[in-house]
């Protein structure tokens, strides 16, 4: 083995191969066509990502997807008919984010067997699974992460590869099916060349590297930079699915960080009104477009002891409207607008501590972004998304209906991935 590169066969020799996972799966094809991102002074391939960001999602053999490669821009919308795999793509991204945070496979894939591709043929040991991956762009360059996951008979990672520009920095392989570990090898450089050690087979090896690699050699520092870039990007993800039925009732005062279902929206509005005046004002302006009737302000009733109630201030001489009286679309609109206009400090998430928050990009995952919304509300959310994502601090990956996708196709800075083919 070359002293500066890991053998490319390390991953493939003992893992589930492509024919095992899906005999019909083509290699590196694209199942969804994306409208191109706007071309600024530099072409997209030359874009420098100062903040780590996932720029490609690969579903090589995953549920209904085969050989799918999806480019991800600042605003990426998945569109297509029911059953085309929009939600599956977002779930795969969310699962990678969960693994990047140090969670187990079972936590990331609670129903792993459902993700085995149709017509996947088990091997001689009756193993079947799926393959996913992503590319994270950032200061370390485009870093590829690829995973082969065995779902049957036992859930485990049987192969993982971390690479930059074709150079493999980390690879793992299942050497002994009787042990709950994989054999890992990562670049060291110098006289040693490669370091080998066992790693657990139920967690992402890339997320464990910062605790295992000393950074004493140039090779180790390259591995650390790539691994930390992937971890930072994956941990900076906030899956958001506002549930109007949970947002109507007053809520007890809490820590003021928005939950994924946005059930504590009233408490978060209490916090933003007091601590984030500029963003609260922007949200109020958005509410004038997304909510029916006049909106003078977003107000909050927070007695010293008692639940917090949020309401729309309708102006002088008009009674306010409590959130509980708003329609489902209005509630979803307010919650999603708040997420786009705020940052990790106001969201219930745990971003990586390796970088300052100013050097991280928040990625919002929203399955059914336009659910329950009318055209006016959808258009305003797209405007807010372009505003927030255009600054580089926020990215949005969402699934939408055809009406929203049609309105977004010609918008600069928005990429629509069409899964209807």
């Amino acid at each position: 083995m070359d002293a500066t590169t890991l053998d490319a066969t390390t991953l493939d020799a003992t893992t589930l191969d492509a024919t095992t996972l899906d005999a019909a799966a083509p290699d590196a094809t694209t199942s969804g066509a994306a409208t191109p991102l706007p071309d600024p002074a530099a072409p997209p391939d030359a874009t420098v990502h100062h903040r780590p960001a996932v720029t490609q999602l690969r579903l090589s053999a995953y549920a209904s997807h085969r050989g799918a490669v999806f480019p991800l821009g600042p605003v990426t919308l998945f569109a297509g008919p029911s059953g085309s795999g929009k939600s599956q793509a977002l779930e795969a991204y969310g699962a990678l984010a969960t693994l990047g945070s140090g969670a187990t496979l079972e936590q990331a894939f609670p129903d792993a067997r459902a993700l085995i591709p149709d017509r996947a043929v088990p091997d001689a040991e009756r193993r079947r699974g799926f393959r996913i991956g992503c590319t994270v762009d950032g200061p370390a360059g485009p870093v590829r992460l690829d995973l082969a996951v065995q779902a049957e008979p036992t859930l485990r990672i049987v192969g993982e590869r971390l690479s930059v520009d074709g150079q493999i920095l980390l690879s793992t392989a299942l050497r002994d099916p009787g042990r709950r570990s994989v054999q890992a090898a990562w670049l060291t450089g110098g006289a040693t060349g490669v370091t080998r050690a066992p790693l657990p087979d139920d967690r992402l090896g890339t997320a464990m590297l910062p605790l295992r690699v000393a950074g004493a050699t140039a090779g180790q520092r390259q591995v650390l930079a790539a691994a930390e870039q992937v971890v930072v990007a994956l941990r900076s993800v906030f899956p958001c699915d506002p549930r109007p039925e949970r947002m109507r009732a007053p809520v007890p005062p809490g820590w003021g960080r928005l939950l994924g279902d946005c059930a504590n929206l009233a408490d978060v509005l209490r916090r933003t009104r007091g601590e984030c005046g500029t963003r609260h004002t922007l949200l109020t302006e958005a509410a004038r477009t997304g909510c029916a009737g006049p909106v003078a302000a977003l107000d909050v009733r927070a007695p010293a002891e008692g639940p917090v109630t949020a309401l729309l201030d309708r102006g002088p001489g008009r009674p306010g409207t409590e959130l509980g009286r708003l329609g489902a679309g209005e509630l979803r609109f307010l919650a999603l607008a708040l997420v786009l206009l705020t940052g990790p400090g106001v969201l219930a998430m745990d971003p990586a501590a390796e970088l300052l928050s100013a050097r991280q990009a928040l990625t919002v995952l929203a399955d059914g972004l336009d659910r329950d919304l009318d055209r006016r509300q959808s258009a305003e959310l797209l405007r807010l998304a372009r505003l927030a994502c255009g600054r580089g601090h926020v990215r949005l990956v969402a699934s939408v209906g055809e009406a929203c996708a049609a309105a977004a196709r010609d918008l600069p800075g928005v990429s629509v991935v069409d899964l209807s083919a």
Side-chain angles (χ1 to χ4, degrees):
M1 182 184 297
D2 190 309
T4 59
T5 60
L6 296 177
D7 186 352
T9 62
T10 303
L11 176 65
D12 299 326
T14 58
T15 61
L16 301 174
D17 61 23
T19 57
T20 301
L21 288 175
D22 185 358
D27 241 355
T29 59
T30 303
S31 66
T35 57
L37 293 172
D39 186 7
D45 289 342
T47 300
V48 177
H49 292 267
H50 299 289
R51 301 178 183 89
V54 177
T55 54
Q56 187 183 84
L57 177 67
R58 293 184 297 279
L59 305 182
S60 303
Y62 182 89
S64 64
H65 294 281
R66 294 169 180 80
V69 180
F70 302 123
L72 304 178
V75 179
T76 304
L77 306 179
F78 284 85
S82 177
S84 61
K86 303 186 297 294
S87 296
Q88 290 173 347
L90 266 68
E91 288 169 359
Y93 192 149
L96 287 171
T98 300
L99 290 174
S101 297
T104 64
L105 275 180
E106 188 174 358
Q107 292 170 317
F109 303 106
D111 191 11
R113 284 184 169 83
L115 304 176
I116 300 173
D118 294 338
R119 301 183 303 278
V121 179
D123 65 6
E125 297 178 2
R126 305 193 63 79
R127 300 183 304 169
R128 295 195 304 164
F130 51 89
R131 290 181 293 135
I132 63 175
C134 66
T135 297
V136 177
D137 265 303
V143 182
R144 284 178 59 104
L145 172 67
D146 294 287
L147 289 179
V149 179
Q150 174 186 300
E152 293 178 346
T154 305
L155 182 62
R156 65 200 315 179
I157 293 177
V158 293
E160 178 179 348
R161 179 180 290 158
L162 188 72
S163 61
V164 177
D165 295 331
Q167 182 182 27
I168 301 174
L169 305 180
L170 164 73
S171 66
T172 71
L174 181 64
R175 300 299 186 191
D176 183 355
R179 293 173 178 257
R180 293 312 309 259
S181 64
V182 291
Q183 183 64 34
W186 59 82
L187 180 67
T188 303
T192 305
V194 173
T195 299
R196 302 182 187 277
L199 292 177
D201 67 354
D202 65 341
R203 296 178 186 271
L204 189 67
T206 297
M208 291 183 276
L209 285 180
L211 301 177
R212 302 292 296 268
V213 179
T217 68
Q220 289 178 339
R221 288 190 289 272
Q222 185 180 4
V223 171
L224 279 176
E228 289 176 353
Q229 179 168 295
V230 170
V231 169
V232 166
L234 292 180
R235 291 187 64 173
S236 302
V237 171
F238 183 69
C240 182
D241 183 16
R243 302 292 295 273
E245 70 275 13
R246 301 178 184 177
M247 300 162 61
R248 299 185 183 281
V251 296
W255 62 342
R257 299 186 70 181
L258 191 67
L259 301 174
D261 63 0
C262 304
N264 62 334
L265 177 63
D267 185 47
V268 178
L269 290 176
R270 171 193 60 80
R271 179 184 173 191
T272 60
R273 186 186 64 169
E275 299 179 10
C276 313
T278 300
R279 291 174 178 174
H280 193 82
T281 299
L282 290 173
L283 183 61
T284 299
E285 293 174 356
R288 295 189 179 108
T289 300
C291 297
V295 177
L298 284 174
D299 203 0
V300 176
R301 288 200 297 262
E305 293 186 9
V308 179
T309 303
L311 64 155
L312 300 182
D313 182 346
R314 298 299 192 178
R318 297 171 180 262
T321 303
E322 295 184 3
L323 259 57
R325 301 180 64 86
L326 299 182
E330 292 175 301
L331 287 171
R332 282 184 55 82
F333 172 84
L334 284 175
L336 290 166
L338 173 62
V339 171
L340 290 172
L341 290 172
T342 186
V346 188
L347 306 176
M349 58 183 297
D350 184 24
E354 288 82 0
L355 289 177
L356 297 174
S357 59
R359 299 183 63 187
Q360 300 184 42
L362 166 69
T363 297
V364 178
L365 293 185
D367 191 11
L369 178 76
D370 58 339
R371 190 187 316 135
D372 296 329
L373 285 110
D374 58 28
R375 291 180 181 271
R376 171 178 51 92
Q377 292 166 329
S378 297
E380 178 64 7
L381 270 189
L382 288 176
R383 185 190 73 82
L384 293 177
R386 293 175 61 209
L387 174 67
C389 299
R391 299 168 180 167
H393 295 278
V394 180
R395 295 170 70 88
L396 173 66
V397 180
S399 65
V400 297
E402 183 51 42
C404 185
R409 281 191 174 93
D410 296 327
L411 293 178
V414 178
S415 176
V416 179
V417 179
D418 188 359
L419 298 179
S420 60

